[in-house]
Amino acid sequence: MADKTIKLMQGNEACVEGAIAAGMRFYAGYPITPSTEIAELSAEKLPKIGGKFIQMEDEIAGISAVIGASIAGEKVMTATSGPGFSLKQEGLGYAVITEAPCVIVNVQRGGPSTGLPTAPAQGEIMQARWGTHGDHSIIALYPWSVKEIYNTTIKAFNLAEKYRTPVILLMDEVIAHMREKIEIPNNTELEVYNRKKPTCSPENYKPYEVKEGDLVPEMAGFGEGYRFHVTGLVHSESGFPSGNEKVAENLINRLIDKIEDNKDDIVEVSEYLTEDSDIAIVAFGATARSAKSAVDTLREDGIKAGLFRPITIWPLAEKELLELSKKVKRIVVVEMNMGQYYLEVDRIAGKFTKVEKYGRLNGELITPEEIISFVKEDQYAKSTN
Amino acid sequence: MPSQLINEFFRTENLPHIWCPGCGNGIVTRAIVKAIDNLGLDKDKVCVVSGIGCSSRASGYLDFNTMHTTHGRALAFATGIKLAKPELTVIVITGDGDCSAIGGNHLIHAARRNIDITTIVFNNSTYGMTGGQYSPTTPTGDKGTTAPYGNIDMNFDLCELAKAAGGTYVSRGTIFTANMLIKQVEEGIKNKGFSFIEALTTCPTYYGRKNKKGEAVDMMNYLKENAINIAAYDKLTDEQKDGKFVVGELYKNTRAEYVEEYQKIIESFSKER
Ligand SMILES: Cc1ncc(C[n+]2csc(CCOP(=O)(O)OP(=O)(O)O)c2C)c(N)n1
Ligand code: SF4
C-alpha cells in the first residue's frame, strides 16, 4: 500500500477526515451555512467506525452534548458559523473551566447577526479570544488551505487532549468550500495524542490535581470507576465548588498558565521571505493566500516584502512578532474585518516598527492587487512626510 | 447518627448542604438516592447531571459520576453522556425554571427522542437561587420578586408537556408522599426511554414568604391536602377538582429508544465488514 492517498477534497471534508484521523468519535451540532458539510459528513462517517453523531436542537445543545461526551471519555467536535458561534460561548467557557477537551470549528461568515451567510469574513478573531465571559486563555488555529485544514484539525485535537482545553478552529468560507488536492498519510506516521488517564486508585483520584512540573490534570472518564464531580463553578483540586480566594486564584492562574507557559509547543507561524524583508504582511486563512501572491508581485517590482502567517492565532505569537518587528520597517496587517488582529499586532510590534491595517468587509475577498496598492501607496509615509 | 444512605451515597465531606431550613430539596434528593439503592445500581455506573439552581446543587453531594452544568442545559449535556456511554444510568436533576424556561427546548427534544434519561424536576414554583422571581410554574396570580403585582403568565403543566413531547414515563409526586416519590424514581429509571418525574417541593424562603403560605410545615400540609391520586382524581367533578392537583403515574408507554436505535445503525455497518 502506498504511504499516502491523494484526494481532491473540500475544506469542510478535510476537517472531518482530519478529525476522524485524530480520533473523533462523537459529534453534536446544529447546521448552519457555511459549516453544514462538516455535520453532514460526520453523520455519514461516524457510525461506520462505531462513533456517534447527533443533530441537537440548537448550538447550545450541540456544545453541551459534546462536553458531556468528552467527560464520558470520547474525543469530540462540534462545528458552526457566525450566530452559532455566539450561542456556543457559554458552553465554551464551561469547557475552559471544567477542562473538557473539545474542538469547536467556526467556519466564519459575514456578521453581525445573520449577516452575510455564504460570504467569507474573518470577523470572529476577537470573539474566539474573548467571546465567553471571564479571564482565561484559549487556543485558536487558523489554516489556509485544504491540506492544512486536515493537518490543523489533527493538531487541534492533539492540543485539546494534551492541554485539556477547548480548541477553536477558525476557517474561512472560501477554503471550507474550495476543492484542492491533498495527500492523506496512511496513518502509521500520524502523531495522535490522547488525554492522560489517571494511574492512581479511584480513592486517591482528585480530578483537578496537578503533578509537580505539569499544569494539566489527569482525566478519568465517567463510568471508568473514578467517581468525580464536574462543575462550572470555581472548584478545588477535588472538583468541588469553593469560594476560597486562594483556590480561585490558583485555578484561574493555572488555566491561563497551562496554555501561556507552553506557547513554544502551541504556537505555530509560517513565514515566507521575511528574512530580508523591509515590509511584512501579517495575514491568516484565505487572506494570507492573497497576501502571498502580493508578496511575489511586490518582490518582482523590487519591493522587499514578506508574509508572516500565524497558524496559531491564539495564544498570540508574541515572541515571533517581536522578532519580526525588529527586522522590518513596516508591518501591514491584512484581514477581512475592520482591524481585529491589527490591535494585537500593533500592541506587540508597534514599539519597534510602524504597524498599519488594511481591513475590509463586504463579503468579497481581499485581492492581491488591493494589498499591493495599499503597500505601494504607503499612507503612513505620506501622512508623516 | 447519619442514616446508612448518607454514609453510602453522599459525599459527606461536602456537607452541610447550602439549602435553607425547611427547604424540600433534601427530601427529593433522598428519594432519588433511595430509589438507586433499592434498584441496587452500581455507583460507578450511575451518572447524575444537573443544571443551575438551588436544587441542581444536589449533584455535588452525591457520590456518583456527577456533573453540575450550565443553567438549563443539563439534558443536553446528559444526552452527550448517554450517547457516548450507553451503559451508564443517566439521571438529570433540574429546577422548574432550569427545566422549563431556559431549558424548555432541551426538555421537549430529549422527550421527543425518547432517550433513556430519567429527569427529576424539583418544582418549587419559583426561582430559588436568584431570589424568588416568578417561574413558568408559578401559579397565575401568585407573586414573585419580579411579579410584585401578581404573575399574569399562565403556568405550565410540566407533566402534560413531557407527555405531549414524547416522554414514555411521566409521573408527579410531592415531598409529602416521599415513599411514592421513591417508587416513581425507581419506575423512571427502569423505563427504557425518557422518564419525567415532577417532584412538588417547597421554597419557604421565597415562594412561601412572598405568597403568605406559612412555614415549611404549612407548605407540606398544603401539598398533603391538595394532592389527589390519579385514580381518585378522575372520579372528581370539576368543582371538586378546583384547587387540587393530580399525583401518581400519569403516563406510560413503550417506544423505540434513541441510543438503541443509533446502535442499530452502527451494528448494520459492523455486519457489513
Ligand atoms: C444563562 C444563565 N441565566 C441566568 C442564570 C441565573 N440563575 C441561576 S439559578 C436561576 C433560576 C433557578 O431556578 P430553578 O431552576 O427553578 O431552581 P431553584 O433554584 O428554584 O431550585 C437563574 C435564573 C444563570 N446562572 N445562567
Ligand atoms: S431559596 Fe428556596 S429552594 Fe433555595 S434552598 Fe432556600 S428554600 Fe430551598
Side-chain angles (χ1 to χ4, degrees):
Chain A
M1 196 161 83
D3 62 348
K4 45 183 80 113
T5 315
I6 312 267
K7 279 193 173 170
L8 185 69
M9 202 179 273
Q10 194 194 49
N12 279 342
E13 272 176 70
C15 176
V16 176
E17 294 293 347
I20 287 174
M24 173 191 39
R25 291 298 177 270
F26 188 94
Y27 181 103
Y30 191 79
I32 179 168
T33 307
S35 73
T36 41
E37 294 85 359
I38 299 178
E40 289 166 358
L41 203 64
S42 297
E44 184 191 324
K45 296 220 152 196
L46 281 171
K48 293 185 182 172
I49 53 170
K52 317 276 170 70
F53 169 92
I54 184 167
Q55 180 169 310
M56 295 298 286
E57 49 277 13
D58 60 32
E59 285 84 351
I60 304 174
I63 192 166
S64 302
V66 147
I67 296 168
S70 173
I71 299 287
E74 296 292 352
K75 286 196 184 183
V76 300
M77 179 168 92
T78 185
T80 189
S81 302
F85 193 53
S86 301
L87 285 178
K88 287 188 191 294
Q89 293 298 334
E90 189 197 21
L92 177 66
Y94 185 86
V96 167
I97 199 168
T98 59
E99 301 181 70
C102 55
V103 174
I104 300 155
V105 185
N106 175 13
V107 185
Q108 295 159 97
R109 59 189 241 174
S113 191
T114 12
L116 292 162
T118 51
Q122 300 179 317
E124 277 98 81
I125 308 304
M126 280 299 170
Q127 197 189 14
R129 178 69 189 87
W130 294 114
T132 190
H133 60 289
D135 278 61
H136 58 88
S137 192
I138 201 83
I139 301 177
L141 307 178
Y142 210 141
W144 81 332
S145 67
V146 174
K147 180 177 168 46
E148 200 172 86
I149 287 175
Y150 181 83
N151 296 330
T152 311
T153 306
I154 295 171
K155 180 171 173 159
F157 272 90
N158 284 346
L159 292 174
E161 294 286 318
K162 191 168 179 182
Y163 295 106
R164 283 194 63 178
T165 186
V167 173
I168 296 164
L169 187 64
L170 286 179
M171 304 209 320
D172 286 324
E173 183 278 334
V174 275
I175 305 169
H177 282 156
M178 167 197 292
R179 284 178 195 279
E180 280 183 318
K181 190 181 88 173
I182 85 163
E183 293 170 358
I184 296 186
N186 287 332
N187 280 337
T188 44
E189 65 206 72
L190 211 69
E191 204 190 317
V192 166
Y193 195 97
N194 298 316
R195 66 191 70 168
K196 273 184 307 226
K197 293 275 177 187
T199 48
C200 64
S201 65
E203 304 80 66
N204 294 326
Y205 179 58
K206 288 195 190 140
Y208 295 100
E209 181 181 41
V210 288
K211 300 216 166 103
E212 187 73 34
D214 192 352
L215 291 171
V216 186
E218 293 166 346
M219 185 173 176
F222 278 178
E224 292 168 6
Y226 296 81
R227 294 188 302 276
F228 60 100
H229 185 57
V230 178
T231 176
L233 290 166
V234 162
H235 44 266
S236 67
E237 291 176 339
S238 66
F240 297 109
S242 166
N244 181 295
E245 69 267 29
K246 202 78 212 130
V247 169
E249 197 174 310
N250 285 345
L251 174 64
I252 302 303
N253 283 339
R254 182 174 62 74
L255 293 178
I256 293 172
D257 292 347
K258 73 176 178 179
I259 293 173
E260 299 296 324
D261 290 0
N262 286 300
K263 276 176 142 187
D264 285 345
D265 182 43
I266 297 167
V267 172
E268 188 181 347
V269 301
S270 160
E271 299 191 44
Y272 176 66
L273 304 179
T274 50
E275 305 82 38
D276 67 335
S277 62
D278 294 328
I279 297 167
I281 298 170
V282 174
F284 35 73
T287 311
R289 296 167 78 120
S290 293
K292 179 167 185 272
S293 162
V295 163
D296 287 337
T297 311
L298 288 164
R299 286 263 166 182
E300 280 164 25
D301 296 348
I303 298 170
K304 281 193 187 166
L307 169 67
F308 180 96
R309 180 171 72 89
I311 297 171
T312 307
I313 70 161
W314 302 114
L316 194 72
E318 285 191 35
K319 195 177 71 188
E320 294 79 359
L321 277 169
L322 259 182
E323 265 168 41
L324 181 76
S325 67
K326 289 174 185 165
K327 278 197 304 218
V328 300
K329 299 197 183 85
R330 192 180 161 206
I331 290 177
V332 177
V333 186
V334 184
E335 50 189 334
M336 272 187 280
N337 61 53
M338 303 312 282
Q340 296 188 20
Y341 211 60
Y342 158 78
L343 291 170
E344 286 291 292
V345 177
D346 188 45
R347 180 172 69 81
I348 301 301
K351 287 170 238 154
F352 299 99
T353 192
K354 62 177 171 174
V355 183
E356 295 157 87
K357 66 174 170 187
Y358 183 70
R360 171 167 64 62
L361 183 80
N362 60 355
E364 293 288 323
L365 288 174
I366 293 174
T367 63
E369 294 70 36
E370 274 175 275
I371 300 171
I372 293 162
S373 67
F374 183 83
V375 167
K376 284 187 174 168
E377 258 176 38
D378 201 349
Q379 306 286 357
Y380 188 90
K382 270 185 205 151
S383 66
T384 49
N385 280 347
Chain B
M1 205 185 87
S3 88
Q4 209 38 48
L5 273 184
I6 293 207
N7 288 331
E8 175 78 22
F9 295 102
F10 282 71
R11 290 164 170 151
T12 45
E13 67 276 20
N14 292 336
L15 298 173
H17 56 69
I18 62 155
W19 297 320
C20 311
C23 176
N25 286 349
I27 301 176
V28 187
T29 308
R30 180 185 181 276
I32 296 169
V33 165
K34 185 72 189 144
I36 293 170
D37 187 32
N38 289 350
L39 292 172
L41 301 179
D42 176 355
K43 281 178 11 176
D44 285 333
K45 298 293 172 205
V46 174
C47 175
V48 177
V49 186
S50 63
I52 298 287
C54 294
S55 42
S56 285
R57 283 298 186 96
S59 62
Y61 307 133
L62 301 177
D63 189 18
F64 304 107
N65 303 283
T66 53
M67 199 163 181
H68 178 229
T69 66
T70 52
H71 190 34
R73 318 296 172 197
L75 274 166
F77 281 86
T79 298
I81 295 169
K82 181 70 193 178
L83 197 51
K85 287 244 172 104
E87 68 273 22
L88 296 178
T89 297
V90 180
I91 296 169
V92 164
I93 288 177
T94 171
D96 45 291
D98 194 64
C99 168
S100 70
I102 191 164
N105 201 29
H106 308 308
L107 168 65
I108 61 179
H109 290 280
R112 175 177 66 87
R113 292 183 189 111
N114 194 30
I115 186 161
D116 189 17
I117 292 172
T118 301
T119 296
I120 296 117
V121 194
F122 293 50
N123 184 358
N124 59 5
S125 308
T126 193
Y127 286 35
M129 181 144 271
T130 39
Q133 296 81 15
Y134 66 104
S135 103
T137 57
T138 305
T140 310
D142 277 8
K143 289 191 172 135
T145 50
T146 45
Y149 314 113
N151 167 32
I152 59 168
D153 288 13
M154 187 192 92
N155 58 309
F156 252 142
D157 183 328
L158 300 181
C159 289
E160 284 296 324
L161 180 68
K163 176 184 158 193
T168 45
Y169 175 84
V170 179
S171 69
R172 183 183 288 128
T174 77
I175 56 167
F176 188 81
T177 47
N179 286 337
M180 181 163 113
L181 204 51
I182 296 168
K183 199 81 210 128
Q184 290 175 336
V185 178
E186 276 179 48
E187 289 304 311
I189 293 173
K190 282 197 279 184
N191 172 49
K192 185 97 207 145
F194 188 75
S195 304
F196 186 84
I197 295 129
E198 180 182 8
L200 298 174
T201 177
T202 50
C203 172
T205 305
Y206 292 113
Y207 179 72
R209 209 167 45 195
K210 198 96 200 153
N211 290 291
K212 306 201 167 43
K213 300 276 182 191
E215 304 285 313
V217 175
D218 302 314
M219 295 180 78
M220 290 276 273
N221 275 329
Y222 170 83
L223 292 176
K224 174 190 168 192
E225 279 150 24
N226 295 291
I228 315 271
N229 203 285
I230 176 110
Y233 190 84
D234 285 342
K235 296 190 189 105
L236 298 184
T237 62
D238 283 353
E239 219 166 62
Q240 289 169 317
K241 280 180 184 166
D242 195 40
K244 308 283 178 202
F245 49 84
V246 58
V247 293
E249 190 178 294
L250 306 183
Y251 182 70
K252 208 171 171 178
N253 190 10
T254 15
R255 193 157 69 75
E257 191 273 332
Y258 191 83
V259 180
E260 285 184 350
E261 291 304 298
Y262 199 89
Q263 209 60 40
K264 285 183 197 162
I265 301 177
I266 294 179
E267 273 154 28
S268 74
F269 289 111
S270 49
K271 274 187 212 111
E272 236 172 53
R273 264 183 255 139

